[in-house]
């Protein structure tokens, strides 16, 4: 009879704890490219799992590989002739929007910044960002 191990398997919904044989652990680890296997808090190669000498009380965890996530988003107040709206945008979208309308003013935490600098700025998550149209002269009599 094959020994079974308590295995913690993490995924995007959280984690589950299941009983698996060493062969099942190896199959599961190799079935999803990039999976990380930890035995007693030590990272081990997925190709080595099948032939390892795993003690009965070992803590075994399978973790999905790290994948780059979505770019962080920011709440942006955009003013125009009808008033203003709030939109959720990435930093790249903010930079594109600011540069697409000549004369746009960009304020980050109430400080005016150059539209050409927006794409490469270090913007904190809680920053207040506003895009304002440039000033235009009024009617002349």
């Amino acid at each position: 009879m094959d020994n079974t191990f308590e295995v913690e398997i993490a995924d995007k919904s959280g984690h589950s704890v299941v009983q698996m044989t060493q062969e099942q652990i190896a199959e599961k680890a190799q079935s999803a490219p990039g999976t990380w296997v930890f035995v007693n808090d030590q990272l081990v190669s997925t190709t080595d799992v099948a032939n390892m000498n795993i003690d009965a009380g070992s803590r075994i965890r399978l973790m999905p590989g790290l994948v780059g996530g979505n770019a962080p988003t920011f709440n942006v107040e955009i003013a125009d002739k009808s008033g203003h709206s709030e939109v959720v945008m990435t930093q790249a979208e903010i930079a594109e929007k600011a540069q697409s309308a000549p004369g746009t003013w960009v304020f980050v935490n109430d400080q005016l910044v150059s539209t050409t600098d927006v794409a490469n700025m270090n913007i904190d998550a809680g920053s207040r960002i506003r895009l304002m149209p440039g000033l235009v002269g009024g009617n002349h009599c």
Side-chain angles (χ1 to χ4, degrees):
M1 179 176 165
D2 288 335
N3 290 335
T4 60
F5 301 91
E6 190 171 276
V7 181
E8 297 174 46
I9 301 175
D11 62 24
K12 61 185 171 191
S13 64
H15 80 276
S16 55
V17 179
V18 298
Q19 294 290 320
M20 301 175 83
T21 65
Q22 189 164 346
E23 182 179 327
Q24 290 170 324
I25 297 167
E27 287 173 11
K28 178 79 172 168
Q30 292 178 6
S31 69
T35 297
W36 293 13
V37 180
F38 292 90
V39 177
N40 296 324
D41 297 325
Q42 182 175 347
L43 180 63
V44 298
S45 170
T46 57
T47 57
D48 293 342
V49 173
N51 299 317
M52 288 180 66
N53 188 9
I54 302 176
D55 295 329
S58 295
R59 180 176 183 204
I60 302 168
R61 293 179 292 150
L62 301 180
M63 312 284 284
L66 296 177
V67 177
N70 296 330
T73 57
F74 304 91
N75 289 329
V76 181
E77 296 175 39
I78 301 176
D80 60 23
K81 60 185 169 192
S82 65
H84 82 277
S85 56
E86 290 191 28
V87 181
V88 176
M89 304 173 83
T90 64
Q91 188 165 346
E93 291 169 330
I94 297 167
E96 182 180 319
K97 177 85 171 164
Q99 292 178 1
S100 69
T104 297
W105 292 13
V106 180
F107 292 89
V108 177
N109 296 324
D110 298 324
Q111 181 176 350
L112 180 64
V113 297
S114 170
T115 57
T116 58
D117 293 341
V118 173
N120 298 315
M121 288 181 65
N122 192 7
I123 302 176
D124 294 327
S127 295
R128 180 176 184 206
I129 303 168
R130 294 179 290 150
L131 300 180
M132 312 286 283
L135 296 177
V136 178
N139 294 335
H140 294 284
C141 298

